[in-house]
Amino acid sequence: MIVKDKEDLRKKLLAKLLALTCEERERRSRMVEKNISDFSLYQQAKVIMVYYPLKGEVDLLGTVRKALGKKKICFPVIDLPNNNLIPYLAGDLTKGFSRSPYGVMQPEINQTQSMPTEDIDLVLIPGLAFDIRKNRLGRGGGFYDRFIKKLSAHTKTVGVAFNFQILKDLPVSIPQDERIDFLITDSQIL
């Protein structure tokens, strides 16, 4: 039952995300970016992992551009044989990226270096939905859930979403679904 509930929610929320106009998504993304830049843990973080947005997702690339050169920024690379995410450093958003098997832009691993997970201070994580208890509904691959399990205790996770993606409750599968530490939307930090 939980699997079907998750699939139904994924379809519904993905449709809402894709229905946003480019202008609306950009406007809301700028508001999320402002809340991230005001967030004390972001300001203090020296090494941050961020995602490259898929269509409809909160776009944080403006924040990344401002942070490059001041902070170490890494992006996840999908390691399909091991069903994992591996963080790789990015020094430039205009080159050194290619599409993963899932269509996500990721660093070309032969042009950069991996970042040990214990060195990461903050991970900004996309999701189709989050709930007020900080549960996350992803796209169904479980990559971020497995990645979060490997993080050190000092690394904080931040779910990034638009307000309408925050729900009262999400169907949760224990023990595989991992909670995040904080939520940042276009109007709030939870």
Side-chain angles (χ1 to χ4, degrees):
M1 189 63 170
I2 287 178
V3 172
K4 179 162 177 15
D5 292 344
K6 285 183 174 184
E7 281 308 311
D8 291 346
L9 262 176
R10 281 186 183 104
K11 287 177 188 171
K12 179 180 169 187
L13 287 157
L14 191 55
K16 274 182 109 168
L17 283 170
L18 295 175
L20 290 174
T21 65
C22 286
E23 296 78 19
E24 182 68 9
R25 188 177 66 255
E26 286 174 23
R27 184 184 70 77
R28 287 176 181 244
S29 290
R30 296 304 75 80
M31 293 165 68
V32 173
E33 285 184 307
K34 177 175 183 338
N35 287 337
I36 288 171
S37 66
D38 291 344
F39 187 49
S40 63
L41 289 178
Y42 172 80
Q43 293 168 357
Q44 296 162 12
K46 291 178 175 50
V47 181
I48 298 170
M49 186 171 110
V50 67
Y51 61 93
Y52 212 104
L54 290 170
K55 186 174 181 183
E57 287 181 335
V58 176
D59 183 343
L60 302 178
L61 296 180
T63 297
V64 170
R65 284 183 193 92
K66 289 177 191 169
L68 285 170
K70 299 176 191 134
K71 299 176 183 284
K72 288 184 179 178
I73 303 294
C74 49
F75 287 82
V77 170
I78 297 172
D79 173 19
L80 271 181
N82 297 306
N83 223 13
N84 281 323
L85 295 179
I86 302 173
Y88 276 84
L89 283 172
D92 188 340
L93 291 178
T94 61
K95 61 184 180 209
F97 281 83
S98 59
R99 291 214 181 271
S100 76
Y102 291 105
V104 180
M105 295 298 287
Q106 62 184 24
E108 294 179 12
I109 61 173
N110 60 348
Q111 296 184 24
T112 185
Q113 65 188 44
S114 64
M115 174 61 66
T117 54
E118 61 270 12
D119 292 351
I120 299 172
D121 300 311
L122 192 68
V123 181
L124 300 172
I125 301 174
L128 290 175
F130 297 89
D131 70 18
I132 55 177
R133 293 184 325 246
K134 300 185 180 78
N135 291 304
R136 174 182 171 273
L137 179 70
R139 293 181 181 250
F143 287 97
Y144 275 102
D145 292 311
R146 288 186 294 279
F147 182 75
I148 290 169
K149 285 181 190 337
K150 296 178 182 176
L151 294 174
S152 65
H154 89 273
T155 304
K156 299 301 177 200
T157 55
V158 178
V160 179
F162 299 125
N163 283 332
F164 67 82
Q165 293 174 268
I166 309 301
L167 307 176
K168 184 178 177 198
D169 283 304
L170 283 175
V172 177
S173 303
I174 296 180
Q176 62 265 37
D177 289 343
E178 288 291 314
R179 286 187 173 154
I180 45 97
D181 299 311
F182 299 94
L183 279 172
I184 297 182
T185 73
D186 32 333
S187 72
Q188 59 190 333
I189 298 173
L190 300 168

